[in-house]
Amino acid sequence: MSHSMTPPIHLAGAAAALVLLATGCTPEPRVVDTFFDEVDAAGVTLLDAEIDDGDLTVVGDDSVDVVEARVDLRTTKTGDGKDEDAIDAVRIEMRDDGNGAAIVRVWMDPAVANYTADVTVTMPTTLAVLALVQDGDVQITDTAGVDLDSRGDNAIVGNQIGDVVVVDK
């Protein structure tokens, strides 16, 4: 049995965008920029996260002693005409509130069409999560409990030690 294979066609720029539009596909999001911040987890029992436009992933990890946030600015745009505007619009607030909570707030001001700020938080498994996600997917695993208000797309919560409350609007 013989197999014939058509050689791949490499398209760039506008031609690639036209092919994607014609086939009904959207391009994979590309990472425009990445931002990092962290707070010491000593004395912290809760991650209080609010994400405006982007996905939230929270992963508990027994080997860490900080709450670390990684923010990936992503877009489905093939050109970079608005990249600088989107980079300038990313807002990140990360701090220890002094009352046992690590605060993480991520939003874009002003919002830039077709750009999202996706957040990944790595933290000790002993912390619980209180989260509000306005628009995006949520995945939270290996934490001490979850209270999630998800107004976006999909929500996956797994391997929790404590209570789980999910409001999906």
Side-chain angles (χ1 to χ4, degrees):
M1 177 183 263
S2 68
H3 296 283
S4 66
M5 199 170 194
T6 305
I9 300 171
H10 298 281
L11 300 173
L18 287 174
V19 169
L20 290 171
L21 288 173
T23 61
C25 297
T26 56
E28 282 296 311
R30 68 179 167 86
V31 176
V32 175
D33 206 346
T34 300
F35 309 87
F36 292 91
D37 204 350
E38 68 180 40
V39 296
D40 188 345
V44 173
T45 59
L46 177 72
L47 169 68
D48 182 348
E50 186 172 331
I51 311 305
D52 191 35
D53 186 18
D55 298 343
L56 172 64
T57 303
V58 178
V59 179
D61 183 340
D62 284 330
S63 69
V64 300
D65 59 0
V66 297
V67 178
E68 179 187 76
R70 172 190 170 130
V71 179
D72 290 320
L73 176 62
R74 297 181 192 271
T75 185
T76 54
K77 288 181 160 281
T78 54
D80 62 359
K82 293 284 185 180
D83 285 0
E84 287 303 316
D85 292 342
I87 290 168
D88 292 342
V90 173
R91 303 289 184 262
I92 302 169
E93 174 189 355
M94 185 157 189
R95 62 185 170 82
D96 180 338
D97 76 349
N99 293 312
I103 307 292
V104 177
R105 304 277 187 266
V106 179
W107 70 100
M108 294 181 68
D109 185 23
V112 180
N114 300 312
Y115 287 82
T116 61
D118 296 337
V119 180
T120 302
V121 176
T122 305
M123 62 183 209
T125 57
T126 56
L127 276 62
V129 178
L130 172 64
L132 169 61
V133 179
Q134 295 288 351
D135 186 21
D137 293 337
V138 180
Q139 184 169 343
I140 302 173
T141 57
D142 299 313
T143 68
V146 174
D147 186 340
L148 170 63
D149 184 347
S150 175
R151 299 175 186 184
D153 299 322
N154 302 312
I156 299 171
V157 176
N159 203 22
Q160 303 301 310
I161 297 168
D163 294 336
V164 174
V165 175
V166 177
V167 176
D168 189 10
K169 296 181 180 179

